[in-house]
Amino acid sequence: MSCSLKLAALSFAYGDREVWSGVDLSVGHKEKVAIIGANGCGKTTILECIAGLAKPLSGQIELFHKPMISRADFEAALRQIGYLLQDADDHFLCPIVEDDVAFSLLANGISRDEAHEKTERILRELGIDALAKKVVYNLSGGEKKLVALAGVLIKEPSLLLLDEPTNALDYSYQLRLAEILSALEQSIVIVSHNQEFIERIVGKIYLLERGVLTLAADLKREILHSHDELPPHTHPHTH
């Protein structure tokens, strides 16, 4: 299987405190995987290392068959990566929904007409076209999350990194988001505590525990015994 992402013997530390070590992960073309684990175990940091936002202590990162050695390597790879942050508000640069979703296209030289057409299409595909003229900060948590996802998907990335994508979503929005993500053809890495949500989407679940990432053999047992797993109806937490 062609790989979108490969991590080999990756380690990370905050100062003298090692967070995780020897992390190996391979994500194939169109493959969807999840990473679970307790608060503070470093799940988000794995995504940040993949995106070049954090620097590992040691090990190798390969994206789209190319080793990530320099900042320029990451900058080139990021054109093919969509990163959905925990807090949707961190995505927004423009007050109006359609302007914000189109922003990255316009910033990269796409004509206004083409950007408008693509924005209309992605909002329609996500079922949020009625929000196009609304002020982003007046939206509900679920609406903001889907608008942020539209801004990520409009760049047509090959790999999606999703950090706690069900944060601020009520159950109906969780089901809707799971349906959307399941239908996508991109490779996906999801960090989440939400058992029902990730089981609807991914083929593999990895457990990050005591600094070690392992493939969860018994998925339901591993998730249910994670130290602070949240059922889908509870409120999100930060880490």
Side-chain angles (χ1 to χ4, degrees):
M1 179 185 290
S2 176
C3 280
S4 296
L5 164 68
K6 189 173 183 180
L7 308 180
L10 211 65
S11 299
F12 185 86
Y14 288 118
D16 295 332
R17 183 176 74 87
E18 186 175 72
V19 180
W20 35 258
S21 64
V23 165
D24 295 319
L25 178 66
S26 181
V27 180
H29 181 55
K30 299 184 181 182
E31 187 177 16
K32 299 174 175 64
V33 306
I35 300 174
I36 63 171
N39 273 2
C41 70
K43 303 183 299 297
T44 291
T45 308
I46 291 179
L47 297 186
E48 291 173 344
C49 286
I50 295 169
L53 302 177
K55 186 175 181 179
L57 187 65
S58 60
Q60 292 80 45
I61 300 173
E62 186 177 291
L63 289 166
F64 315 114
H65 309 286
K66 182 174 181 180
M68 296 293 102
I69 307 298
S70 66
R71 168 54 49 188
D73 293 331
F74 278 106
E75 289 174 353
L78 282 175
R79 298 189 188 104
Q80 300 182 67
I81 294 176
Y83 192 170
L84 185 68
L85 305 171
Q86 281 192 44
D87 187 345
D89 285 337
D90 290 340
H91 283 269
F92 303 135
L93 297 170
C94 302
I96 304 302
V97 167
E98 62 182 0
D99 294 337
D100 191 83
V101 173
F103 181 85
S104 64
L105 299 183
L106 296 171
N108 284 288
I110 302 296
S111 72
R112 188 164 295 277
D113 286 345
E114 185 179 353
H116 180 72
E117 181 183 330
K118 287 189 173 183
T119 298
E120 280 191 331
R121 184 172 70 249
I122 194 69
L123 293 177
R124 186 169 57 250
E125 287 174 356
L126 294 181
I128 54 173
D129 43 314
L131 303 180
K133 304 292 185 183
K134 293 187 178 295
V135 176
V136 171
Y137 297 103
N138 291 339
L139 303 179
S140 70
E143 289 169 338
K144 286 181 179 180
K145 186 71 75 170
L146 292 178
V147 170
L149 181 62
V152 169
L153 293 179
I154 201 167
K155 296 183 290 185
E156 300 179 347
S158 299
L159 171 65
L160 288 174
L161 307 177
L162 309 178
D163 193 356
E164 298 289 0
T166 58
N167 268 10
L169 298 190
D170 63 26
Y171 190 57
S172 63
Y173 270 109
Q174 291 179 28
L175 293 177
R176 187 166 162 190
L177 182 58
E179 183 178 4
I180 290 167
L181 295 176
S182 295
L184 294 178
E185 298 209 341
Q186 285 95 337
S187 304
I188 300 179
V189 180
I190 303 176
V191 162
S192 179
H193 286 81
N194 191 323
Q195 175 189 352
E196 179 179 344
F197 177 78
I198 59 179
E199 286 190 338
R200 288 175 179 272
I201 301 165
V202 307
K204 293 179 183 176
I205 298 178
Y206 292 84
L207 175 66
L208 184 60
E209 189 174 43
R210 298 184 181 90
V212 178
L213 185 71
T214 55
L215 182 63
D218 185 341
L219 302 185
K220 290 189 177 181
R221 182 183 65 80
E222 295 286 8
I223 297 172
L224 290 171
H225 287 78
S226 282
H227 301 300
D228 57 353
E229 191 272 330
L230 294 182
H233 296 284
T234 58
H235 292 292
H237 58 270
T238 58
H239 60 139

